[in-house]
Amino acid sequence: MLVAVDLVVLTVRNDRLLILTIDRGVDPFRGQAALPGGFVRPDEDLLDAAERELSEETGLSELRVHLEQLATYGHPDRDPRRVISIAHLALVPDAADPTAGGDAAAARWTAVGDLLDDPGRLAFDHHRILSDGVERARAKLEYSPLATAFCSEAFTIGELRQVYEAVWDTEIDPRNFHRKVSKTPGFVVETGATTTRQGGRPAKLYRRGPAELLHPPMLRP
Amino acid sequence: MLVAVDLVVLTVRNDRLLILTIDRGVDPFRGQAALPGGFVRPDEDLLDAAERELSEETGLSELRVHLEQLATYGHPDRDPRRVISIAHLALVPDAADPTAGGDAAAARWTAVGDLLDDPGRLAFDHHRILSDGVERARAKLEYSPLATAFCSEAFTIGELRQVYEAVWDTEIDPRNFHRKVSKTPGFVVETGATTTRQGGRPAKLYRRGPAELLHPPMLRP
DNA sequence: CGTGTTATCGTCAAGACGACGATAAGAAAG
DNA sequence: CTTTCTTATCGTCGTCTTGACGATAACACG
């Protein structure tokens, strides 16, 4: 049985949640859009394989990418070659555009909303994997500080709020959000600096705090 | 690369969280305790394979078992034969004792606490898998009605509370728990019957309600 | 210097929570 | 039959959190 890893790579740009897709350069599904991924090497750990494929097929190899295992898909009919795939979820800050490589003919950011609305656009069972990955990301923003993975090293609370709004596709009251984030222990810590890059009154800059879990969690409306 | 499924099968009996372990009947680790599991057949879905192994190795094949995928373990050194394992989590009501079969020389319930305290007792990386499975179960009791999977079809709120206490290893105030459960929409519905099997005043019997997620969630102390 | 924009701090009422008192309804003991 | 014991169920109270929203602060721009 063949073993592969696939990647759901998400970022937030201009208040929209984007996912990285490639155009397949090989059969099956040659030419069709798909998630980046590839086979696991015999002496490779799964997470290492995911990291390698991310770097090979998309050129993204930042230090600041959050990578975790998502789920494994093994239905006998999901791939004519009988491949089981361990899908991974990657969250990256809004950074440079990807560059195709490996078995990928092209690599680009696509709006998640558009892909979710069109189940036939992605090859294999990748629509299902995408949908599971987005749901995982939405859920994790509730009880973990992972939203910071979409931000640059230092960020304002307003920028963090825009991440939540993009991923959850909702509007959040800026005042209540500010209160909640600053009162949740360990979520963010002040850097001391301020910025005006959002316009308006200068905002304090924060970086991610030490907390791994948020108590109490952020609540999706 | 070989592909297997392993199972973390949990139940609650006498206010303790128990896990199903087998004694391995074949090499490697012959004679040592391990999680039940086995290889996935070429034309089999992963969840089907987990269900089959549960039935083959332990004789548990109830309709009322909750089964979900947990995570996949693929470190190159985890098994000398280079096996990756898709671990599954099964929650079953306190029912008949298991009967060994397949590659298992014996099957029995073991206290989870004892196994967690002794990392060397289980074969392979099964201690890690067990620990991940227990943590998943603990987390899911917070935001899902899955605690009902440990109860019989009809249960009292007191019995449900004992499940929470066993899985979380805490004490919960019966009055606040009663208020919380009965006020969370869709968690439980009355059957109309009552029972005195817990002693004391007769308690109303409930069955699981339609909710898939609990809003607001139960909170671990 | 006004105006627009975002940040940050308060206020207030509604709801949820933890601690715990009180009553109810059965079984078992005397 | 009465007392006692046990568990179930309902209520109260003070505290904390939340959502809705007012008010002020501090910058850029024309």
Side-chain angles (χ1 to χ4, degrees), chain B residues 116-133:
Chain B
L116 283 179
D117 291 341
D118 186 357
R121 193 124 129 244
L122 292 179
F124 304 109
D125 52 0
H126 287 184
H127 181 268
R128 171 69 187 287
I129 298 178
L130 160 65
S131 148
D132 290 349

Side-chain angles (χ1 to χ4, degrees), chain A residues 64 145 147-161 163 177 181 187-191 193-195 197-198 203-209:
Chain A
R64 298 198 56 257
T148 58
F150 289 115
C151 299
S152 41
E153 186 88 26
F155 51 86
T156 71
I157 294 196
E159 290 164 350
L160 189 64
R161 176 173 48 83
V163 167
F177 183 84
V181 170
F187 194 174
V188 296
V189 295
E190 292 187 23
T191 66
T194 62
T195 181
R197 64 182 172 223
Q198 300 285 300
K204 290 182 188 168
L205 283 168
Y206 296 82
R207 89 185 72 207
R208 180 181 165 165

Side-chain angles (χ1 to χ4, degrees), chain A residues 1-3 40-46 69-77 82 84 86 136 142-143 215 217 219-220, chain B residues 1-3 40-46 69-77 82 84 86 136 142-143 215 217 219-220:
Chain A
M1 217 171 307
L2 298 172
V3 176
V40 178
R41 294 176 179 167
D43 281 313
E44 196 174 35
D45 196 8
L46 301 175
Q69 193 184 107
L70 176 58
T72 299
Y73 300 83
H75 193 279
D77 302 328
R82 187 50 172 135
I84 78 161
I86 297 101
R136 167 81 67 93
E142 291 197 69
Y143 59 88
H215 285 299
L219 291 183
R220 254 189 284 193
Chain B
M1 217 170 310
L2 298 171
V3 177
V40 178
R41 294 178 179 164
D43 280 313
E44 195 174 36
D45 196 7
L46 301 176
Q69 193 184 109
L70 177 58
T72 299
Y73 300 82
H75 193 280
D77 302 329
R82 187 51 173 137
I84 77 163
I86 297 98
R136 167 81 67 92
E142 291 197 67
Y143 59 88
H215 285 298
L219 290 183
R220 255 190 283 192

Side-chain angles (χ1 to χ4, degrees), chain A residues 55-77:
Chain A
S55 159
E56 278 182 15
E57 290 208 335
T58 71
L60 297 180
S61 65
E62 306 198 41
L63 293 177
R64 298 198 56 257
V65 39
H66 168 86
L67 190 60
E68 67 176 73
Q69 193 184 107
L70 176 58
T72 299
Y73 300 83
H75 193 279
D77 302 328

